[in-house]
Amino acid sequence: DTGVSQNPRHKITKRGQNVTFRCDPISEHNRLYWYRQTLGQGPEFLTYFQNEAQLEKSRLLSDRFSAERPKGSFSTLEIQRTEQGDSAMYLCASSPPTGDYEQYFGPGTRLTVT
Amino acid sequence: AQSVTQPDIHITVSEGASLELRCNYSYGATPYLFWYVQSPGQGLQLLLKYFSGDTLVQGIKGFEAEFKRSQSSFNLRKPSVHWSDAAEYFCAVDNFNKFYFGSGTKLNVKP
């Protein structure tokens, strides 16, 4: 069990560019979550997968954001036409299929849009 | 709507002193409650969780928390703070697999 991993750890991009982040959950965790955290705030829920099905999306997830989990393992979060307001830490978490409601968080990807 | 309030943005305590971090939630049902800690450059680490049963729960690193339904609170405590406890602490409520987090309390520890 190597924990949840996220890549890249840091991304600097210019406004208007597209970016994609990857999350590898703990193996056998069927639930995967994306959160966004801005400075001085707690993480805010973005979206949630159970296996490959995207079950819920927050209203924070505008049309420029899309997340996938094609084989029920890793997930990607893409932001199109980035804006300065997208600058934040993007956190991924996973949780097992039964019993434990705990979410295990990755280290995050820090996005800076210039 | 569900919400989590951490009224203290910053707290400073002396090393060896006791600590209590406050958390209040607004939730219609019996909540699942969590405390996480985040150190700079690190991911969120679970300290403890409450699902049901004994309202005083023990966690890692000597932390404990008490669920008080009448006050809608889940305050985090530690009897003696260590310098390594300096970090940001987040309270969270689980709402059907979505976590709602408070805005966090940043803990500073004086020598």
Side-chain angles (χ1 to χ4, degrees):
Chain A
D1 181 355
T2 58
V4 178
S5 62
Q6 293 187 245
N7 288 288
R9 294 292 304 275
H10 302 273
K11 178 71 176 178
I12 300 174
T13 191
K14 293 186 176 180
R15 190 175 50 193
Q17 298 294 305
N18 299 342
V19 294
T20 300
F21 311 139
R22 177 177 169 130
C23 170
D24 287 89
I26 295 171
S27 59
E28 299 180 358
H29 279 195
N30 68 330
R31 289 177 279 175
L32 187 147
Y33 313 81
W34 285 99
Y35 293 84
R36 180 173 68 189
Q37 185 178 21
T38 53
L39 206 61
Q41 298 297 319
E44 296 173 292
F45 171 81
L46 292 179
T47 190
Y48 154 54
F49 289 85
Q50 184 162 303
N51 300 311
E52 64 276 8
Q54 188 173 19
L55 296 188
E56 194 156 355
K57 289 169 59 173
S58 164
R59 282 174 291 179
L60 292 174
L61 216 63
S62 76
D63 291 345
R64 297 184 296 106
F65 288 69
S66 62
E68 294 182 343
R69 194 182 183 200
K71 296 182 181 178
S73 57
F74 74 91
S75 175
T76 57
L77 178 68
E78 181 183 17
I79 308 174
Q80 297 182 325
R81 306 181 304 281
T82 52
E83 302 172 356
Q84 286 189 320
D86 297 331
S87 295
M89 178 76 85
Y90 290 84
L91 297 169
C92 177
S94 68
S95 64
T98 58
D100 192 342
Y101 290 89
E102 176 184 348
Q103 294 186 15
Y104 297 77
F105 283 82
T109 295
R110 180 166 295 285
L111 172 66
T112 302
V113 181
T114 61
Chain B
Q2 295 78 12
S3 67
V4 180
T5 303
Q6 293 181 248
D8 304 305
I9 299 173
H10 294 276
I11 283 185
T12 299
V13 299
S14 298
E15 192 168 14
S18 64
L19 170 71
E20 182 168 23
L21 302 183
R22 295 183 290 165
C23 173
N24 292 93
Y25 63 90
S26 169
Y27 192 69
T30 302
Y32 297 142
L33 296 159
F34 303 80
W35 274 99
Y36 281 83
V37 61
Q38 188 176 41
S39 299
Q42 304 294 316
L44 289 157
Q45 181 184 23
L46 181 72
L47 288 175
L48 46 78
K49 57 194 176 188
Y50 170 78
F51 295 156
S52 64
D54 192 347
T55 56
L56 184 64
V57 293
Q58 303 297 320
I60 63 171
K61 304 185 180 184
F63 285 93
E64 65 178 29
E66 186 170 12
F67 170 60
K68 292 185 177 180
R69 185 187 303 277
S70 61
Q71 299 176 18
S72 297
S73 69
F74 188 56
N75 293 350
L76 181 72
R77 300 194 294 248
K78 186 169 184 177
S80 177
V81 169
H82 188 262
W83 64 266
S84 61
D85 293 325
E88 191 157 19
Y89 292 79
F90 293 94
C91 181
V93 170
D94 181 297
N95 174 34
F96 297 105
N97 296 307
K98 292 181 299 183
F99 275 24
Y100 289 89
F101 285 86
S103 54
T105 298
K106 194 164 288 187
L107 174 66
N108 295 319
V109 181
K110 291 190 303 186

